[in-house]
Amino acid sequence: MAANTMSTTARIGKYAGGILKHAVPHEVLARGGRQVTFPKNNSNTYVARRWLPNGTTSSTNGNLLIANGTGDRAAALVAAAQTSEGVTPTPDQITPQDQTVVLNQYACLYSFTDQVYDLYEDDIPGAIKEQIGERVALINELMIFGALKASTNQFYGGTGTSRATVNGKLSLNLVRKIVKSLQANHGENVTSVLKGSNNFGSDPVAPGYVVYCHTDLEPDIRDLPGFIDASQYAGQAMPYEVGKVERFRFVTSPDLPSYQDAATSVTASAVGLSSTTGTNPDVYPIIVAAKDAWSQVAVRGLDALKPTYLPPGEKSKSDPFGQRGYAGTIWYKAVFLENNGWLAVANVGASSL
């Protein structure tokens, strides 16, 4: 990965003022899911196993407790378990299902010169350290977002049946269809999220299904019938939570981008949706999650990041005068969707304001 070189103009002789704070990419998705600690020297592959309920095969989503079919399915299940005197029932077998993910390594690296280090009145290394932290958080968020929006459990706004045909915004009916799907798959409410500190641990939250989406959708969320603002909660709200509707708790972030101009079958102005170019509506993926729908190797603890800081002054054949310094970090991350029945993706447009 190429280093980003520090080459800005110095402010020598001017009032230093304060370094303008960047828009920090807050952790949202990175605080959800099932958090996995991955020990050192234990290969680069993580395998999670679950045992499928009776009557479920590996070709299904692994949640089925009452088999699909005609007639009284509950009565049929009870009848199948009834025994006859003196007759040994036919034994069943339990079936494992494994999910495998490979850890990848990521890095960011900045460079700066000896003049920047020696003469600038600003704390350049300190500013770079802040940038590194923000960049790691952003990359992790986008990585999780990419994995989750690939879920096979997809829903579409309006009368759409694909991303290209999305012609509606988020609606209460769509929300109810999604929660019906999660409940049918025995998806449990989320009751805790990872702490915002550098250490492992969780914070309790009021139970519900969590909805992660872009901040552009906040007006449409607030327009949903029955919306309750997070400030009115009797209990604790999640970080960056806007509010809730029925069983759904909405958390927004500017780092969950739309597919720009993706609804190619309709004109944005005709359906009242926003568009980047003004022609076709942008499509926003909304992640709706039950408990333990996905796992991630959390970037937490003292060994999660492996930072590098090399100040100028160290001479080598590649830098004979020691004119360059470097700061950066590498880290490992893996994200995988464990249960498609416990997660859904709603593809919707955003109202044109």
Side-chain angles (χ1 to χ4, degrees):
M1 174 178 289
N4 292 319
T5 303
M6 179 69 188
S7 59
T8 59
T9 304
R11 293 184 288 146
I12 301 298
K14 299 181 181 179
Y15 176 64
I19 300 297
L20 295 178
K21 188 177 180 68
H22 290 268
V24 179
H26 302 293
E27 282 190 330
V28 172
L29 291 173
R31 297 184 66 178
R34 188 168 65 85
Q35 309 294 334
V36 176
T37 57
F38 202 87
K40 295 179 65 175
N41 304 321
N42 199 37
S43 88
N44 67 338
T45 302
Y46 174 74
V47 180
R49 166 166 288 188
R50 63 167 167 253
W51 298 96
L52 300 178
N54 178 253
T56 304
T57 66
S58 59
S59 62
T60 69
N61 59 26
N63 309 315
L64 195 62
L65 298 179
I66 300 178
N68 290 329
T70 59
D72 190 336
R73 291 173 290 150
L77 189 62
V78 172
Q82 185 174 341
T83 63
S84 299
E85 182 179 358
V87 178
T88 301
T90 302
D92 294 313
Q93 302 289 327
I94 60 173
T95 304
Q97 185 180 54
D98 291 340
Q99 301 284 346
T100 302
V101 65
V102 177
L103 269 73
N104 290 318
Q105 188 181 72
Y106 300 86
C108 66
L109 181 65
Y110 292 85
S111 69
F112 51 96
T113 67
D114 56 345
Q115 291 190 29
V116 167
Y117 184 75
D118 294 336
L119 302 179
Y120 277 32
E121 75 278 19
D122 299 324
D123 179 12
I124 299 302
I128 290 177
K129 182 172 67 173
E130 182 178 321
Q131 290 277 332
I132 291 170
E134 295 174 3
R135 193 164 162 197
V136 169
L138 176 61
I139 295 302
N140 288 341
E141 283 290 294
L142 296 178
M143 192 190 318
I144 300 170
F145 187 49
L148 300 188
K149 67 184 181 181
S151 168
T152 58
N153 198 18
Q154 299 277 332
F155 295 79
Y156 302 95
T159 59
T161 56
S162 65
R163 189 184 305 159
T165 58
V166 167
N167 58 4
K169 62 182 181 180
L170 183 66
S171 67
L172 183 58
N173 185 57
L174 180 59
V175 168
R176 287 172 171 166
K177 285 175 62 178
I178 293 172
V179 75
K180 179 180 177 181
S181 170
L182 297 182
Q183 289 175 319
N185 281 289
H186 302 86
E188 298 181 5
N189 288 333
V190 174
T191 56
S192 64
V193 295
L194 190 67
K195 286 183 177 293
S197 68
N198 292 329
N199 300 319
F200 280 96
S202 59
D203 288 323
V205 296
Y209 297 113
V210 185
V211 181
Y212 301 97
C213 60
H214 195 276
T215 47
D216 286 356
L217 298 179
E218 186 170 330
D220 291 332
I221 294 170
R222 293 186 177 278
D223 287 341
L224 291 174
F227 174 80
I228 299 175
D229 191 276
S231 63
Q232 300 177 26
Y233 290 0
Q236 182 178 351
M238 298 176 63
Y240 315 113
E241 183 175 0
V242 176
K244 66 179 182 179
V245 176
E246 297 179 358
R247 289 178 178 264
F248 278 62
R249 306 183 59 177
F250 292 89
V251 179
T252 63
S253 168
D255 300 318
L256 307 178
S258 66
Y259 296 103
Q260 294 183 337
D261 307 304
T264 55
S265 65
V266 294
T267 302
S269 58
V271 289
L273 300 178
S274 63
S275 169
T276 299
T277 65
T279 304
N280 300 120
D282 299 330
V283 177
Y284 292 82
I286 301 176
I287 307 300
V288 187
K291 181 181 178 181
D292 295 338
W294 83 90
S295 295
Q296 60 175 309
V297 175
V299 182
R300 290 290 192 275
L302 295 177
D303 297 329
L305 299 178
K306 300 184 182 300
T308 292
Y309 177 58
L310 302 174
E314 297 184 9
K315 300 178 182 180
S316 66
K317 289 183 178 180
S318 61
D319 187 9
F321 296 108
Q323 294 173 290
R324 295 186 297 277
Y326 297 92
T329 190
I330 59 174
W331 72 101
Y332 290 94
K333 184 74 175 176
V335 182
F336 62 109
L337 180 55
E338 288 197 4
N339 200 311
N340 273 294
W342 295 350
L343 184 131
V345 181
N347 299 270
V348 302
S351 293
S352 178
L353 301 177

